[in-house]
Amino acid sequence: MQTLLTDRELLESLAAEVEEHLRRHIATADEWQPQDYVPWDDGRNFAFLGGTDWEPGQSELGEVAQLALTVGVLIADNLPSYHREVGRYLRTGPWWRWVGRWTAEENRHAIMLRNYLVVTRAVDPVALERMRMSYMTTGFRRPALHLLDMLAVSALEERAAAIRHRNTAALGENPIVTAMSDRIAADDELQSEFFADLVAAALNLAPDQTMRAIADQVAAFAVPEVTLADGRTSTTILAEAGIYDPAREPELVLTPLLARWNVFTRTDLSADGEKARTELAHLRP
């Protein structure tokens, strides 16, 4: 049995890795501006300022694209909750700088999407704002996690988000929606890579402990879900449309990350690590 490391010991031991990968992330990430993707000339006042309020005939987006972008707004705009959940583990040195960078990147996704939806009148802005207020008031909470669990689930979540946005782009709804979705997906892919690299480093540092975290988070994994006014869930609609289908998670999300971490070829596990790996055997290629 390998010695278990505390979260504080892991934070300290992995700090240099965080610093290195944060520098790489910033150097690799494209600089882009959310306002560049919004067709401001399409905008006009609502009734409050003497214009015309929204009505369904003004939207030029299909239902699937409307929902996909609305879900994107609600998830990204709820960053204060995600920031709180992640940040409570990482309030030190390069870890805290990464939380700030990650939060800023996610927040501009929400800014871009919400501005686009409102300016183009693609969705009912009143309904969108009511959903946003409700979703953020409820907030995002998850059971207390150890550091390794948080890193593993974040890698999974960001990979899943990138797939959702790539598939939204593939709808070919219009050139702007395609460009926005591809832009967000590229960010999410880099964020997933950041978290995945830290999991890989943790596997070298504490193989059994990290394998246990991976197995637990794979077993518990579920993407964020939004319930609509008619009782349908975003999961059901997006799965039916091929935007994101949980049934394909093993193929698209889980197996690629397990391969990246060499889960099934490692030789440094003791009995505890082997037990955790056994729980992942159904995902072995």
Side-chain angles (χ1 to χ4, degrees):
M1 179 177 178
Q2 298 168 4
T3 301
L4 296 181
L5 301 178
T6 66
D7 280 355
R8 179 175 293 278
E9 289 171 330
L10 288 164
L11 283 169
E12 294 172 353
S13 298
L14 292 171
E17 293 279 350
V18 177
E19 191 77 70
E20 176 187 344
H21 292 306
L22 178 55
R23 284 198 299 268
R24 185 204 64 195
H25 179 89
I26 293 172
T28 304
D30 295 329
E31 182 180 16
W32 61 275
Q33 302 299 324
Q35 69 272 10
D36 289 343
Y37 291 80
V38 181
W40 300 101
D41 284 347
D42 293 353
R44 61 189 189 276
N45 290 344
F46 293 95
F48 185 77
L49 292 179
T52 303
D53 277 342
W54 184 86
E55 55 88 13
Q58 295 170 358
S59 177
E60 297 181 359
L61 289 189
E63 181 187 18
V64 173
Q66 290 181 39
L67 178 63
L69 298 186
T70 296
V71 169
V73 171
L74 296 177
I75 293 174
D77 209 32
N78 205 13
L79 254 295
S81 293
Y82 284 90
H83 183 102
R84 179 191 64 228
E85 290 296 304
V86 175
R88 66 178 173 171
Y89 301 104
L90 307 177
R91 294 180 178 275
T92 179
W95 292 96
W96 188 236
R97 292 195 294 278
W98 162 248
V99 172
R101 171 75 188 205
W102 173 78
T103 302
E105 289 182 355
E106 290 293 324
N107 189 234
R108 67 179 173 183
H109 297 169
I111 291 169
M112 175 176 66
L113 291 174
R114 188 166 182 266
N115 283 345
Y116 173 83
L117 292 173
V118 172
V119 167
T120 64
R121 298 185 177 229
V123 300
D124 181 351
V126 175
L128 177 63
E129 181 63 8
R130 286 173 177 166
M131 290 177 69
R132 192 188 70 82
M133 290 291 290
S134 175
Y135 196 61
M136 290 191 68
T137 300
T138 301
F140 169 83
R141 297 187 67 86
R142 58 163 47 112
L145 298 176
H146 289 294
L147 176 64
L148 298 177
D149 294 278
M150 189 278 295
L151 295 177
V153 73
S154 295
L156 298 172
E157 287 176 345
E158 292 296 351
R159 183 173 177 87
I163 291 167
R164 188 178 77 248
H165 290 297
R166 288 292 184 200
N167 287 335
T168 302
L171 288 173
E173 189 73 27
N174 66 49
I176 296 178
V177 169
T178 298
M180 288 193 304
S181 300
D182 277 335
R183 177 64 269 165
I184 295 172
D187 282 359
D188 289 341
E189 286 161 357
L190 283 179
Q191 292 164 357
S192 179
E193 184 175 347
F194 180 94
F195 286 115
D197 283 345
L198 291 185
V199 173
L203 275 166
N204 292 331
L205 181 68
D208 285 354
Q209 211 170 336
T210 308
M211 192 65 71
R212 168 45 59 200
I214 292 170
D216 287 347
Q217 295 313 309
V218 164
F221 184 63
V223 296
E225 181 176 85
V226 176
T227 301
L228 307 181
D230 61 7
R232 295 182 300 168
T233 67
S234 57
T235 300
T236 299
I237 298 173
L238 295 181
E240 291 174 351
I243 300 297
Y244 188 86
D245 185 354
R248 296 191 67 192
E249 278 174 353
E251 167 196 358
L252 300 177
V253 178
L254 308 179
T255 300
L257 282 171
L258 296 184
R260 181 189 183 104
W261 294 325
N262 300 314
V263 163
F264 298 113
T265 58
R266 304 190 70 88
T267 59
D268 53 0
L269 301 175
S270 69
D272 289 341
E274 289 290 358
K275 182 177 184 300
R277 179 158 63 181
T278 299
E279 296 169 20
L280 298 166
H282 64 289
L283 296 169
R284 189 164 196 157

